[in-house]
Amino acid sequence: MPRLKQAGRKAGNAYAEPIFNLLFGDRDPVAEPGTATGTPGNWWTVFNIVPDAFKHTTEGFQFYRSSQRKLDPKLRELGQTRAGFAVGSQFVFSQHCKASRDAGLSEAQVAAIPHWAVADCFSAIERAVLAYTDALVLQHGRVPDGVFAVLKEHLSDEEILELTYVTATYMMHAVMSRALRLEYDDVEERVVEVPAPTGGSDDVMSMVDAKKDGAQ
């Protein structure tokens, strides 16, 4: 379950109602969760507890899909999908693998996004977008001049701003999804202590150190 409460149709958010109709039909998404893509749909219901946040972020989706955008949708989806992978959000990564195919990326390209640095199926600008995404997400905006130079060679300033804004927005969505345990990111922490067997040592390295000291 998500870490926050959910709000469905009973919340009375008129803005959310047509979106709920599109995603959930006539169901209340809290009582009867599930979307056509297989997700529970709780991203929407958790955001709906703050109606103007729901509206703000949904309008952000409209921004990046607007016909006014100059950026190639393939490059946009490369940034979004790689951002999801780099943050470790299975929800954002999984959803945008699908969107990447819709935008025209090949199956080989979608499959190679996790290991793009050693893949040979991307063009120079696609590799630059992926490198730029890693600089935004993993280096928190510390972008090497060489990466930016390739972006400038192929893209206008307007396209670079759109790429930066959309990619950073999806880094935020990926982080929030993990933090709040939404959709496919509703998973327990994997990195935990594994108990030693009954009667075993609590600290294997202390045994190694003791053996070394004895040998000396």
Side-chain angles (χ1 to χ4, degrees):
M1 293 291 291
R3 283 172 157 165
L4 300 181
K5 64 185 179 182
Q6 301 179 63
R9 297 184 187 274
K10 293 179 181 179
N13 181 358
Y15 180 86
E17 195 64 21
I19 297 172
F20 283 171
N21 289 339
L22 181 65
L23 293 171
F24 305 105
D26 59 0
R27 292 177 287 121
D28 184 283
V30 176
E32 298 179 71
T35 69
T37 60
T39 73
N42 56 44
W43 188 97
W44 302 94
T45 54
V46 168
F47 264 84
N48 196 39
I49 69 176
V50 181
D52 51 347
F54 184 104
K55 184 175 187 290
H56 184 273
T57 193
T58 304
E59 288 175 343
F61 301 150
Q62 295 168 357
F63 168 86
Y64 83 75
R65 289 182 176 273
S66 168
S67 60
Q68 297 182 57
R69 299 285 70 79
K70 299 181 182 299
L71 182 67
D72 185 338
K74 291 182 183 180
L75 301 182
R76 179 198 74 211
E77 289 299 333
L78 277 177
Q80 289 171 299
T81 310
R82 178 62 189 181
F85 184 84
V87 170
S89 168
Q90 184 162 333
F91 176 54
V92 171
F93 176 72
S94 175
Q95 295 299 88
H96 283 276
C97 282
K98 300 172 179 64
S100 291
R101 294 187 189 95
D102 288 342
L105 291 174
S106 69
E107 287 294 335
Q109 289 174 318
V110 174
I113 289 173
H115 58 272
W116 72 266
V118 294
D120 59 5
C121 54
F122 297 113
S123 67
I125 183 54
E126 290 167 344
R127 292 178 64 82
V129 165
L130 289 161
Y132 186 53
T133 299
D134 282 358
L136 291 173
V137 177
L138 301 176
Q139 297 295 327
H140 301 167
R142 187 183 182 191
V143 182
D145 288 342
V147 171
F148 213 87
V150 179
L151 292 179
K152 292 280 285 184
E153 180 182 346
H154 292 271
L155 302 178
S156 68
D157 286 9
E158 291 84 356
E159 290 171 309
I160 294 172
L161 180 58
E162 289 179 3
L163 173 64
T164 306
Y165 180 76
V166 173
T167 302
T169 297
Y170 270 79
M171 176 178 67
M172 177 196 73
H173 284 311
V175 168
M176 290 185 69
S177 181
R178 292 192 68 190
L180 303 179
R181 291 190 176 175
L182 305 178
E183 307 289 357
Y184 297 144
D185 293 319
D186 182 14
V187 293
E188 295 297 322
E189 174 58 60
R190 182 177 177 277
V191 183
V192 296
E193 179 183 4
V194 178
T198 302
S201 171
D202 286 338
D203 184 357
V204 173
M205 293 312 300
S206 66
M207 297 171 57
V208 175
D209 290 341
K211 184 174 182 64
K212 287 173 57 181
D213 290 342
Q216 292 174 355

